[in-house]
Protein backbone atom coordinates (compact mmCIF):
# COMPACT_ATOMS: atom_id res chain seq x y z
CA UNK A 1 0.00 0.00 0.00
CA UNK A 2 2.69 2.50 0.93
CA UNK A 3 4.52 2.24 -2.42
CA UNK A 4 1.24 2.48 -4.35
CA UNK A 5 0.41 5.69 -2.48
CA UNK A 6 3.90 7.03 -3.22
CA UNK A 7 3.27 6.34 -6.90
CA UNK A 8 0.00 8.25 -6.82
CA UNK A 9 1.75 11.15 -5.09
CA UNK A 10 4.58 11.52 -7.61
CA UNK A 11 2.24 10.97 -10.55
CA UNK A 12 0.16 13.96 -9.47
CA UNK A 13 3.26 16.02 -8.66
CA UNK A 14 4.61 15.49 -12.18
CA UNK A 15 1.31 16.18 -13.91
CA UNK A 16 0.81 19.35 -11.89
CA UNK A 17 4.35 20.57 -12.69
CA UNK A 18 5.69 20.40 -9.14
CA UNK A 19 9.41 20.33 -10.08
CA UNK A 20 9.01 23.51 -12.11
CA UNK A 21 6.90 25.30 -9.52
CA UNK A 22 9.36 24.32 -6.78
CA UNK A 23 12.15 25.95 -8.81
CA UNK A 24 10.02 29.07 -9.38
CA UNK A 25 9.42 29.41 -5.64
CA UNK A 26 13.09 28.72 -4.87
CA UNK A 27 13.92 31.76 -7.03
CA UNK A 28 11.34 33.80 -5.08
CA UNK A 29 9.32 34.33 -8.23
CA UNK A 30 5.53 34.38 -8.65
CA UNK A 31 4.44 32.57 -11.78
CA UNK A 32 1.34 30.39 -11.78
CA UNK A 33 0.30 29.85 -15.39
CA UNK A 34 2.04 26.59 -16.33
CA UNK A 35 -0.41 24.32 -18.21
CA UNK A 36 -1.39 21.38 -16.04
CA UNK A 37 -2.24 17.82 -17.00
CA UNK A 38 -4.38 15.12 -15.44
CA UNK A 39 -4.46 11.38 -14.93
CA UNK A 40 -7.88 11.61 -16.55
CA UNK A 41 -7.60 10.57 -20.20
CA UNK A 42 -3.90 9.70 -19.77
CA UNK A 43 -2.57 6.41 -21.11
CA UNK A 44 -0.77 4.60 -18.29
CA UNK A 45 1.59 1.67 -18.87
CA UNK A 46 2.63 -0.27 -15.77
CA UNK A 47 5.62 -2.58 -16.23
CA UNK A 48 5.49 -5.11 -13.43
CA UNK A 49 1.96 -6.15 -12.44
CA UNK A 50 2.65 -7.66 -9.05
CA UNK A 51 1.17 -6.33 -5.83
CA UNK A 52 2.70 -2.84 -6.18
CA UNK A 53 1.73 -2.23 -9.79
CA UNK A 54 -1.78 -3.59 -9.31
CA UNK A 55 -2.45 -1.59 -6.12
CA UNK A 56 -1.34 1.55 -7.96
CA UNK A 57 -3.61 0.70 -10.90
CA UNK A 58 -6.55 0.27 -8.53
CA UNK A 59 -5.94 3.67 -6.99
CA UNK A 60 -5.59 5.64 -10.21
CA UNK A 61 -8.58 3.98 -11.86
CA UNK A 62 -10.85 6.44 -10.05
CA UNK A 63 -9.05 9.29 -11.86
CA UNK A 64 -10.48 7.95 -15.16
CA UNK A 65 -7.34 7.34 -17.24
CA UNK A 66 -7.85 6.57 -20.92
CA UNK A 67 -6.27 3.14 -20.45
CA UNK A 68 -4.23 1.15 -17.95
CA UNK A 69 -1.97 -1.40 -19.64
CA UNK A 70 -0.18 -4.01 -17.54
CA UNK A 71 3.10 -5.46 -18.81
CA UNK A 72 4.52 -8.59 -17.23
CA UNK A 73 6.65 -11.64 -17.93
CA UNK A 74 3.61 -13.86 -18.55
CA UNK A 75 1.15 -11.31 -19.91
CA UNK A 76 -1.47 -12.69 -17.52
CA UNK A 77 -4.29 -10.32 -16.56
CA UNK A 78 -3.98 -10.37 -12.78
CA UNK A 79 -6.84 -7.95 -12.16
CA UNK A 80 -9.80 -6.47 -14.05
CA UNK A 81 -8.33 -3.04 -13.32
CA UNK A 82 -6.11 -3.50 -16.38
CA UNK A 83 -7.68 -2.62 -19.71
CA UNK A 84 -5.00 -4.73 -21.38
CA UNK A 85 -2.35 -7.16 -20.16
CA UNK A 86 0.60 -7.95 -22.41
CA UNK A 87 3.95 -9.70 -22.28
CA UNK A 88 7.23 -7.83 -21.87
CA UNK A 89 8.10 -8.69 -25.48
CA UNK A 90 5.18 -6.50 -26.58
CA UNK A 91 6.26 -3.42 -24.61
CA UNK A 92 7.72 -1.52 -27.56
CA UNK A 93 4.35 -1.50 -29.34
CA UNK A 94 2.84 0.37 -26.39
CA UNK A 95 5.60 2.89 -25.59
CA UNK A 96 4.62 5.37 -28.35
CA UNK A 97 1.07 5.37 -26.90
CA UNK A 98 2.15 5.91 -23.28
CA UNK A 99 1.71 9.13 -21.33
CA UNK A 100 2.83 7.75 -17.95
CA UNK A 101 5.31 4.85 -17.79
CA UNK A 102 5.51 3.26 -14.34
CA UNK A 103 8.16 0.66 -13.47
CA UNK A 104 7.60 -1.78 -10.59
CA UNK A 105 10.17 -4.38 -11.62
CA UNK A 106 12.34 -6.74 -9.56
CA UNK A 107 16.09 -6.70 -10.10
CA UNK A 108 16.82 -9.65 -12.39
CA UNK A 109 18.97 -10.37 -15.42
CA UNK A 110 15.91 -9.99 -17.64
CA UNK A 111 14.92 -6.59 -16.25
CA UNK A 112 18.37 -4.99 -16.32
CA UNK A 113 18.34 -2.02 -18.71
CA UNK A 114 14.84 -2.97 -19.88
CA UNK A 115 14.11 0.73 -20.46
CA UNK A 116 17.06 1.36 -22.74
CA UNK A 117 18.02 4.48 -24.65
CA UNK A 118 16.20 3.12 -27.68
CA UNK A 119 13.01 2.44 -25.73
CA UNK A 120 13.11 5.85 -24.03
CA UNK A 121 13.23 7.37 -27.50
CA UNK A 122 10.00 5.54 -28.38
CA UNK A 123 8.05 7.45 -25.72
CA UNK A 124 6.20 10.64 -26.71
CA UNK A 125 7.95 13.93 -25.96
CA UNK A 126 5.43 14.74 -23.22
CA UNK A 127 5.64 11.38 -21.43
CA UNK A 128 6.59 10.84 -17.79
CA UNK A 129 8.70 8.00 -16.36
CA UNK A 130 8.31 6.77 -12.77
CA UNK A 131 10.45 4.04 -11.19
CA UNK A 132 9.94 2.39 -7.79
CA UNK A 133 11.32 -1.04 -8.72
CA UNK A 134 15.07 -1.29 -9.20
CA UNK A 135 17.46 1.37 -10.46
CA UNK A 136 19.16 -0.92 -12.98
CA UNK A 137 15.97 -1.29 -15.05
CA UNK A 138 16.55 2.11 -16.72
CA UNK A 139 19.49 3.43 -18.71
CA UNK A 140 19.98 6.28 -16.25
CA UNK A 141 22.36 8.31 -18.42
CA UNK A 142 19.90 8.14 -21.32
CA UNK A 143 17.06 9.19 -19.00
CA UNK A 144 18.98 12.27 -17.84
CA UNK A 145 19.73 13.17 -21.45
CA UNK A 146 16.07 12.76 -22.44
CA UNK A 147 14.98 15.03 -19.59
CA UNK A 148 17.56 17.72 -20.27
CA UNK A 149 16.87 17.82 -24.01
CA UNK A 150 13.10 18.01 -23.48
CA UNK A 151 12.29 14.60 -24.96
CA UNK A 152 10.54 13.65 -21.73
CA UNK A 153 8.27 15.91 -19.66
CA UNK A 154 9.55 14.63 -16.33
CA UNK A 155 10.53 11.68 -14.17
CA UNK A 156 10.27 10.47 -10.59
CA UNK A 157 12.81 8.00 -9.23
CA UNK A 158 12.79 6.33 -5.84
CA UNK A 159 15.50 3.89 -6.94
CA UNK A 160 18.76 4.62 -8.75
CA UNK A 161 21.61 2.77 -10.43
CA UNK A 162 23.91 3.73 -7.53
CA UNK A 163 22.63 4.49 -4.06
CA UNK A 164 23.33 6.94 -2.54
CA UNK A 165 23.58 9.01 -5.70
CA UNK A 166 27.28 9.97 -6.09
CA UNK A 167 28.23 13.60 -5.58
CA UNK A 168 28.34 15.37 -8.94
CA UNK A 169 26.12 12.80 -10.67
CA UNK A 170 24.09 14.58 -13.40
CA UNK A 171 20.97 12.92 -12.01
CA UNK A 172 20.97 15.49 -9.18
CA UNK A 173 20.42 18.38 -11.59
CA UNK A 174 18.33 16.79 -14.34
CA UNK A 175 15.35 18.86 -15.47
CA UNK A 176 11.87 18.16 -14.11
CA UNK A 177 12.89 15.27 -11.90
CA UNK A 178 11.62 14.20 -8.49
CA UNK A 179 14.17 12.21 -6.49
CA UNK A 180 13.40 10.37 -3.27
CA UNK A 181 16.00 8.32 -1.32
CA UNK A 182 14.53 4.82 -1.79
CA UNK A 183 11.95 5.57 0.89
CA UNK A 184 8.62 4.64 -0.72
CA UNK A 185 8.50 1.17 0.82
CA UNK A 186 10.27 1.55 4.14
CA UNK A 187 8.74 0.00 7.25
CA UNK A 188 7.70 3.39 8.60
CA UNK A 189 3.98 2.84 7.97
CA UNK A 190 2.24 0.82 10.68
CA UNK A 191 0.01 -0.92 8.14
CA UNK A 192 3.07 -2.17 6.22
CA UNK A 193 4.66 -3.62 9.36
CA UNK A 194 1.43 -5.30 10.43
CA UNK A 195 0.82 -6.71 6.94
CA UNK A 196 4.36 -8.11 6.72
CA UNK A 197 4.02 -9.86 10.10
CA UNK A 198 0.60 -11.24 9.12
CA UNK A 199 1.99 -12.66 5.86
CA UNK A 200 4.91 -14.27 7.70
CA UNK A 201 2.62 -15.82 10.31
CA UNK A 202 0.28 -17.10 7.60
CA UNK A 203 3.07 -18.90 5.79
CA UNK A 204 4.65 -20.10 9.03
CA UNK A 205 1.38 -21.88 9.79
CA UNK A 206 1.35 -23.33 6.27
CA UNK A 207 4.97 -24.46 6.68
CA UNK A 208 4.21 -26.25 9.95
CA UNK A 209 1.26 -28.00 8.30
CA UNK A 210 3.42 -28.79 5.23
CA UNK A 211 0.92 -26.89 3.11
CA UNK A 212 1.85 -24.79 0.04
CA UNK A 213 3.26 -21.37 0.94
CA UNK A 214 1.33 -18.32 -0.24
CA UNK A 215 4.20 -15.84 -0.35
CA UNK A 216 7.23 -17.91 -1.32
CA UNK A 217 10.02 -16.39 -3.39
CA UNK A 218 10.67 -18.23 -6.65
CA UNK A 219 14.46 -18.33 -6.60
CA UNK A 220 14.68 -19.36 -10.25
CA UNK A 221 12.86 -16.14 -11.22
CA UNK A 222 14.62 -13.88 -8.71
CA UNK A 223 11.45 -12.67 -6.96
Amino acid sequence: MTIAEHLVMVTLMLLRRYPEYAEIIRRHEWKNNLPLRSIKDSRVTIVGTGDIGTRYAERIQSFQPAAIVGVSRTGRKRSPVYDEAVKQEELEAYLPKTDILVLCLPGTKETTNMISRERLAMLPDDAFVINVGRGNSIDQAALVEALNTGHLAGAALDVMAKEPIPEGDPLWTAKNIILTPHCSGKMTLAYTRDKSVAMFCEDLEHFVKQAPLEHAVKRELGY
Side-chain angles (χ1 to χ4, degrees):
M1 184 178 79
T2 181
I3 303 179
E5 290 185 356
H6 176 93
L7 283 169
V8 174
M9 175 187 75
V10 295
T11 300
L12 292 170
M13 290 171 73
L14 288 170
L15 289 167
R16 299 190 67 84
R17 312 287 287 269
Y18 173 79
E20 293 156 278
Y21 274 123
E23 180 61 21
I24 288 169
I25 294 300
R26 189 191 66 78
R27 296 195 303 261
H28 296 188
E29 296 177 1
W30 197 258
K31 178 182 178 182
N32 58 10
N33 60 348
L34 297 180
L36 302 180
R37 292 167 58 186
S38 175
I39 297 175
K40 179 177 172 57
D41 296 329
S42 292
R43 301 162 299 179
V44 183
T45 300
I46 301 173
V47 187
T49 59
D51 184 72
I52 295 170
T54 300
R55 297 293 170 262
Y56 169 68
E58 291 170 350
R59 284 157 174 76
I60 65 165
Q61 187 180 42
S62 61
F63 289 88
Q64 300 177 318
I68 303 177
V69 176
V71 182
S72 66
R73 181 180 56 84
T74 64
R76 182 167 62 92
K77 194 171 187 179
R78 291 174 54 96
S79 166
V81 73
Y82 296 107
D83 296 292
E84 293 184 70
V86 301
K87 292 185 177 182
Q88 291 175 356
E89 291 80 5
E90 302 173 75
L91 174 61
E92 292 186 359
Y94 287 84
L95 291 177
K97 301 178 286 186
T98 295
D99 298 308
I100 304 167
L101 177 66
V102 179
L103 307 176
C104 309
L105 292 165
T108 67
K109 181 176 65 175
E110 289 74 22
T111 63
T112 298
N113 207 37
M114 177 178 287
I115 307 303
S116 61
R117 178 180 297 274
E118 292 74 20
R119 286 180 168 173
L120 285 170
M122 294 176 186
L123 289 165
D125 288 350
D126 59 352
F128 297 99
V129 175
I130 303 173
N131 189 13
V132 295
R134 291 293 181 264
N136 64 354
S137 61
I138 298 180
D139 183 332
Q140 197 165 281
L143 177 67
V144 170
E145 183 179 319
L147 290 168
N148 289 340
T149 59
H151 173 60
L152 294 177
L157 305 182
D158 188 53
V159 289
M160 297 81 186
K162 292 184 179 180
E163 297 179 7
I165 305 171
E167 187 67 30
D169 192 301
L171 191 65
W172 286 114
T173 55
K175 290 183 179 178
N176 300 331
I177 196 166
I178 298 170
L179 299 174
T180 48
H182 206 149
C183 61
S184 65
K186 292 295 183 183
M187 294 290 183
T188 54
L189 185 67
Y191 172 86
T192 304
R193 295 194 297 270
D194 292 344
K195 180 67 173 177
S196 296
V197 171
M199 291 168 64
F200 173 80
C201 291
E202 179 184 5
D203 264 352
L204 179 60
E205 185 175 339
H206 290 169
F207 178 77
V208 170
K209 294 179 178 178
Q210 296 185 335
L213 303 181
E214 295 292 329
H215 312 291
V217 171
K218 296 179 176 63
R219 294 182 181 276
E220 70 277 9
L221 298 179
Y223 59 92

